[in-house]
Amino acid sequence: MNYSNRGIQKRKSELNSKMPKFANMFGSMFYQATLILIIALGLAGCFGAVGVFRGVLAAAPDVSTIDVRPTGFSSTVYDSEGNQVTKLVATNANRIYQNIDKIPIDTQHAFVAIEDSRFYEHNGIDIKGIIRAAYIMVSTRNASEGASTITQQLIKNSVFTEWTAESSFTEKLKRKIQEQYLAVQLEKRPDMTKDAILELYLNTINMGQNTLGVQAASLRYFNKPVSALNLSESACIAAITNNPTKYNPILHPEDNAKRRKKVLGDMLDQGFITEKAYEDAMADDVYSRIQTVNARQEQSTINSYFTDAMVGQIMEDMQEKLGYNENQAYNMLYSGGLSIFTTQDPEIQKICDTVCSDPETYPEKVEYLLDYQMTGVDGDGNVQNFSSQMMQLYFRDQGRKGYSRIYPDEESAREDAALYKEYVESQGYTIEDDTISITPQPQISVTVADQYTGYVKAIVGGRGTKSASLTLNRATDTMRQPGSTFKVVSTYAPGFDTGQKTLGTVTIDEPFNYANGRPVSNWYSGYKGPCTLRYGIEQSLNIIAVRTLTDITPRLGFEYLKNMGISTLVEQETLKDGSIVSDIGQPLALGGITRGVKNYELNEAYATIANGGTYIKPAFYTRILDHDGNVLIDNTKPDSRRVLKPTTCWLLTSAMQDVITKGTGGAVRFDGMSLAGKTGTTSDNKDVWFAGFSPYYTCTTWAGYDNNVEMKDAKQRALAKTVWKGVMSQIHEGLENKEFVQPEGITTASVCNQTGLLATDYCRAVGTAHTEYYAEGTVPEESCPGHAATTFICALTGQSASETCPVRVEGIPLVPGWCPHSLNADGTPRTDPTPAELAAAVMAQAALNQAAAQQAAAAGLTVPGLDASGLMTPAAGAGADAQSLFGIGQ
């Protein structure tokens, strides 16, 4: 700063100058104007935003009129004839309302800790939570951090039930603002205390396994009321609600366990539990107590197996096609007032139910399987669970060798259950809860479908009384080994479809090992030598199937199976012990797979063949209408795809007709209808199947013990065929007898059943020639080079012997003619030429033909019906026999 006289004078001059004053005045005015403009624009924006905000709030429902209690319209289910089958009602569909004073405080706190930690402090919205979620979203670009309070969730699921249909950010923002506003207003209502809001919330949330609310969930997962839940169990079900599918403790116990640990940790951090309570809960093996089947479900209506399957498919489709989450799909299905039109044919379903409930269908010897579980507490308060497997080990230790929980009657089963309970109590345990289930054995399942539409017409998921909805459905849920039914779909279908194999292809039935050195076993003794694939299908020959799949590669069979809708296959999986399993291997030919198949999926694979090669996804419903009659989902044309050529399907059908007319499936045959199908029996007789079709319907039946014990009785092992015939014969009563329609592209050829090549005169003479069907372009081009004919002689006379000779053996006849035991159909002795004589005649004629052909060739001519070597051409010999060719009389 310059404080000299000169400096002071200069400063005075500057202050008195007009230009600086004008400049300063203008700058000040401009600054003020700009500031006023910014403030004005800001106020205008604020007023506009406030106006929009007030408009959004004005459009919100009146808090005094909204009802957040569990309500809704029942959904009605109709069969394919328009008859009402059942109703799906939210309050009666596995939801059981429970007052807050019956819900343990630990259960309440578990949900509060994980879903809304400041629930008892905020006024409906959590400002801290909103700020935290916004910060995380901005800093990580991850919008997954939730800020919805329990009150908001209650309003969203009860008031804004169509929020999944929101298509724009504006709609979502509008709903979110209204949701927060109503949450605040709701908590101002005198009747909406914190306990009242929490009670409603705990009775409306989706808890997985088609349960709503904590009471139904407690019964489903632990077979006891919610009032009896301990801390560990409370944390387990509280872990579900964030994502009922992912955290389902039955389907995904590992994911639920991680979430449960967080629930307990949050409860500890928020002061709801002590460190010791946390450690005790973490040490509890809660998952061993969870029931996976036959849960006690207190419902007034027990749905059929068909309705159960339909519910499962609709739940999946609503999430996949409509974008609903599981909670919204469930609420819509049970509370949306829907009209659901199913594919169920009431007459066909009635036939299936009648056959499967008729005692005459089953072996006289009915057995019963006992499942028994208990929960006991010792003197120190430690909880111990006792499973059916533990009971089985107990009785085996008591000297019951081979005990498998199978009983001759229900009374004996109950006596053993009581005996085991007494033993457990004698060990110092007080039994808090026990569950007993006794089911008749062997069990069965049935699926009937229209192959041309994919519509499932009827299913039966088990034998005996169905005691609850959503119990074990053996037609759609159970996975069992498919046995020889897989030969057609895993091996012969891809082999024929790719042109690598034909019905006339010959494979040798002889000792053969898997790649690991283990021998392939036949279901019969000995070996049959050269066999056509038609014969391999007809007689269900194991070695022929395995050798065929080995040739075409298991990978090809695996891919075809997936294309035909088999969803349970394992490409590669590492087990807990570190071993690796895969279904891409030679055992695939015989149905040797990791998990097994579901009945209705195997049925659709066979329906694909019956439908000319087009796979159609099985459908349990056709349309769903909303409460106002609008189409919500149209499923009249389910997803479909071409899998096989029509010619492949017709050839397979032809061979499977032989299975029924002269092969392993003769027991299912009935008059008046064209039928094709395949038997299936596992090597240990634990599973038996029959899968087949007519020109109208495809049906697959299964039978076996639920606990996988061997069926030793012949009638038990025939049960799948018995049920199939009983169902299909009645379904087709009165229907026109149709033939399977032959598509274009099928031709015939005379081939040798010893080599699979074009038959020669010699093949016809010795009886190895037959006419076979082929897809065009797959007929063999080479002629049979010759082979040794198998001949039979009479052990007494040394002459040729036919099937009527009781002492026939393989050998070369040394004496001319037939033995006296070889008879014609009318019982008279055979005098026609023997195979050896026919062969000799053929060879003599062949020599003459060859000489004639050589002479003609030398003269530049050809002999009609002969090739250059003197052999008869296939066209000349088609359908002819040695007698007509060479003038040999009968």
Side-chain angles (χ1 to χ4, degrees), residues 454-473:
Y455 293 175
V456 178
K457 293 298 182 179
I459 63 169
V460 177
R463 167 190 182 188
T465 302
K466 190 173 188 291
S467 58
S469 296
L470 302 172
T471 53
L472 179 66
N473 192 333

Side-chain angles (χ1 to χ4, degrees), residues 208-227:
Q209 289 295 123
N210 291 309
T211 59
L212 294 173
V214 292
Q215 172 73 343
S218 181
L219 290 170
R220 180 65 184 88
Y221 297 118
F222 300 106
N223 274 338
K224 59 183 177 181
V226 65
S227 59

Side-chain angles (χ1 to χ4, degrees), residues 822-843:
S822 298
L823 307 176
N824 292 312
D826 60 2
T828 58
R830 291 189 64 170
T831 59
D832 56 300
T834 66
E837 293 167 348
L838 288 174
V842 168
M843 299 306 292

Side-chain angles (χ1 to χ4, degrees), residues 186-205:
L186 185 69
E187 293 214 357
K188 290 180 180 179
R189 281 172 43 173
D191 60 328
M192 285 297 153
T193 63
K194 289 291 185 180
D195 279 352
I197 291 172
L198 187 59
E199 176 179 312
L200 292 170
Y201 172 78
L202 293 176
N203 279 283
T204 56
I205 49 177

